[in-house]
Every structure is written in C-alpha cells, then in structure tokens.
Amino acid sequence: MYMNVAYWHNTLIDFKDKKHPLFVGSCGTYHLFTRPKLPTHRPRGRLDFQLLYVASGKAHFYFNGTEEIVTAGHMVIYRPKEEQRYYYYGVDQPEVYWVHFTGNNVKNILRQYGIADSSHVIYTGTSLEYKRIFTQMIQELQMCKENYEELLVLLLRQIFILIRRHSASRPKAINSYLENEMERAAKHFHEHYNTAISIEDYAASRGMSASWFIRSFKEFTGSTPMQYILAIRMMNAQNLLETTEYNVTEIGNIVGYDNPLYFSRLFKKQNGVSPSEFRKKMRCF
C-alpha cells in the first residue's frame, strides 16, 4: 500500500475552525496494491468536512446503511457529524485522494460551486489536474512554507471550480441510455487502458457510430475517449514512478507503450517534466 498524508500542526484530531471562512486541516492519498482491505468507520463522523476523489479503481461507500460502489472519476463528500463508512479493497486497485476542511462559511461556499447540501457522490471525470492539485496540497501541508495555509484554501477552491465547470459542461438533460453507455465506456477504458483500444471498434460493438460516440463521450466526461485513456495511462505511470522501482521502459510497457521514447515524450508533454525528473522530484518530499 502507498500512503502519503499531511496534517495541520501534525495533529490527527479533527477540529472545527470558526475564524476562517474556509480552512484545510489535513489531506492525503491511499493506493492499495497488495493489502486486501482498508476499512474506515466513524459512526459519529468528524467535526469537519471531507472530500474524497477516486482517481482509479473503485471504493465502497455506505450512505444511510446502503452500499454504493464509487468508481474512478467521482468524488464523495461527507459533512460534519455524518457517519463515515467506506472500504478500499486491494483487488479493486483503488487510488483515492482526500482532504478535510472546515470554516465558518463552508456550506455557503459549497453551494456557490454547485455542491448541494444533500449530495454525496459527485461525478467529476478523471483528470490529471485533480491529482496534481491534491498532490500539491499534500506537499504544501508537509513543507509549511510561508503563507501555506492561504495557498491550501486557494487549491481547494480550485478543485471546487473544476467540479463546477465539469457540472456546467455536461448535457442538461442526459437520458439514462446515454448515461449508462458512457459509464460503461469509462469502465471499459479503466479496465483495458494499457491495451491497444480502437475507439471505432468499441463504438461499433455497442451499436454506435464512432463520431456520435466520441461526441457523446466528450459531452459526458469533458474529454474525448483518447484523451480520457491518456489521462488514465499517465496517472498510473505517475503512481508507478512514485511507488515502485520499475525503470521508465518497464513503466511505459505496463501502461501501454512499447516505445519508451514515445512514452517519455507524452509524459513530459502532460506533466512538464520527464518520467525520471518526476520520480526524482516526488522523492524529494
């Protein structure tokens, strides 16, 4: 299991902040590889809010006693004193990022970004940007450089803005057939991202034209099928660079690229640094 966490003043105790409109108390990430199960159960909840992002795999959440399997590309929000019960299973290969936050105006801030009081699961799409922001939050809270508390709030608001934009870009009246088909496609891409996927063949197998499928998938997720697959490959490559000793060529092969030079070029284009530079940078923290 890979774990990277950070806490304000290194305290594990949850708290309610009444001085600031919004305040970040802790954040982190878990990625299960071999550990069979990682359970969390807080019957009385916490004093703060929690936002979790499922970057890959899936996780099992319970709301009002009912299980809901949350797949990659979704966020889950818990509110103060609300029972928190969820499970990560190694077989699902979940990669989850989370942040705890509090403040005297959180409810209104969430409403401002279109997050309803009653919502628990939010479809956000799979994006490298979410992972980048969460990773930066973890680093800021670990390093505690000047004005880090203010920057943490800005980064959290950036996540809220991306959630709002994604919600606004989705079709206003999406029918159940389209939703089921696009979720099926996203699930297929997550399961087969490291193989040679033909978008035309996949669309044909579901009785759709390639052009209609690509257009509908972009409306639903905010990215084309190939952009979506690329994001999954790059996120998994980042995980392998952070948590394993595989070399760049091996990692390229694992995520679906036979040519290591092509993989490195794509990685640098997406992340701004080469795979080797990324690994070195991550291990400095």
Side-chain angles (χ1 to χ4, degrees):
M1 183 181 80
Y2 172 73
M3 177 178 68
N4 191 16
V5 299
Y7 297 88
W8 183 69
H9 286 188
N10 293 318
T11 178
L12 302 182
I13 302 174
D14 53 318
F15 60 92
K16 183 176 181 179
D17 181 274
K18 297 181 179 180
K19 297 180 181 179
H20 307 87
L22 185 63
F23 190 88
V24 174
S26 61
C27 52
T29 180
Y30 294 108
H31 191 182
L32 263 63
F33 296 100
T34 57
R35 184 170 178 174
K37 183 179 180 181
L38 180 62
T40 295
H41 189 201
R42 303 182 180 108
R44 298 182 179 180
R46 290 173 54 102
L47 296 177
D48 52 15
F49 290 75
Q50 183 180 23
L51 184 70
L52 304 100
Y53 170 55
V54 183
S56 61
K58 57 186 177 183
H60 300 249
F61 291 84
Y62 285 81
F63 305 107
N64 299 317
T66 302
E67 181 186 28
E68 184 167 348
I69 298 175
V70 179
T71 57
H74 292 82
M75 292 194 188
V76 172
I77 186 166
Y78 283 110
R79 292 163 179 81
K81 299 182 179 180
E82 182 178 13
E83 180 186 12
Q84 297 183 6
R85 182 184 172 198
Y86 51 91
Y87 300 86
Y88 305 147
Y89 295 96
V91 68
D92 296 329
Q93 294 284 290
E95 178 193 8
V96 181
Y97 291 80
W98 53 267
V99 56
H100 290 288
F101 54 97
T102 180
N104 59 32
N105 196 34
V106 176
K107 286 185 178 180
N108 288 328
I109 291 173
L110 292 174
R111 292 168 186 163
Q112 174 188 343
Y113 293 108
I115 301 175
D117 294 350
S118 59
S119 63
H120 277 117
V121 181
I122 307 165
Y123 183 76
T124 60
T126 302
S127 172
L128 288 171
E129 190 67 8
Y130 291 124
K131 180 174 177 178
R132 182 196 66 77
I133 297 171
F134 274 106
T135 300
Q136 187 176 353
M137 291 175 70
I138 296 168
Q139 294 170 357
E140 286 294 330
L141 198 46
Q142 289 172 340
M143 302 293 288
C144 298
K145 295 182 179 179
E146 186 177 0
N147 301 118
Y148 76 96
E149 293 172 344
E150 181 180 357
L151 182 53
L152 284 167
V153 170
L154 294 175
L155 290 168
L156 180 56
R157 281 184 176 270
Q158 190 175 354
I159 291 174
F160 293 158
I161 290 171
L162 291 176
I163 293 173
R164 179 65 171 173
R165 285 182 176 179
H166 189 273
S167 175
S169 67
R170 295 187 69 190
K172 300 302 180 184
I174 186 168
N175 60 56
S176 59
Y177 165 76
L178 178 61
E179 184 170 14
N180 289 337
E181 284 296 336
M182 296 306 109
E183 287 189 349
R184 178 193 288 267
K187 182 175 183 293
H188 177 82
F189 296 154
H190 275 282
E191 293 176 347
H192 303 281
Y193 73 91
N194 58 348
T195 64
I197 299 177
S198 167
I199 302 304
E200 291 75 13
D201 289 347
Y202 178 83
S205 73
R206 300 300 304 163
M208 300 176 273
S209 71
S211 59
W212 185 88
F213 170 66
I214 292 171
R215 183 173 64 253
S216 298
F217 191 87
K218 185 172 183 178
E219 288 178 351
F220 187 77
T221 66
S223 60
T224 67
M226 290 312 300
Q227 289 170 339
Y228 193 85
I229 294 167
L230 175 62
I232 298 171
R233 288 176 172 176
M234 292 299 109
M235 280 193 293
N236 280 281
Q238 287 183 358
N239 288 330
L240 291 168
L241 287 165
E242 292 177 34
T243 61
T244 74
E245 297 301 324
Y246 291 125
N247 62 43
V248 173
T249 298
E250 290 172 324
I251 290 174
N253 285 328
I254 290 171
V255 301
Y257 297 103
D258 294 331
N259 187 325
L261 293 178
Y262 180 63
F263 164 65
S264 294
R265 284 199 297 268
L266 277 178
F267 189 94
K268 186 170 184 177
K269 183 177 180 180
Q270 293 293 314
N271 298 281
V273 294
S274 69
S276 298
E277 292 170 333
F278 179 86
R279 169 174 274 168
K280 184 177 180 180
K281 179 180 177 182
M282 288 298 101
R283 292 185 176 180
C284 288
F285 295 98

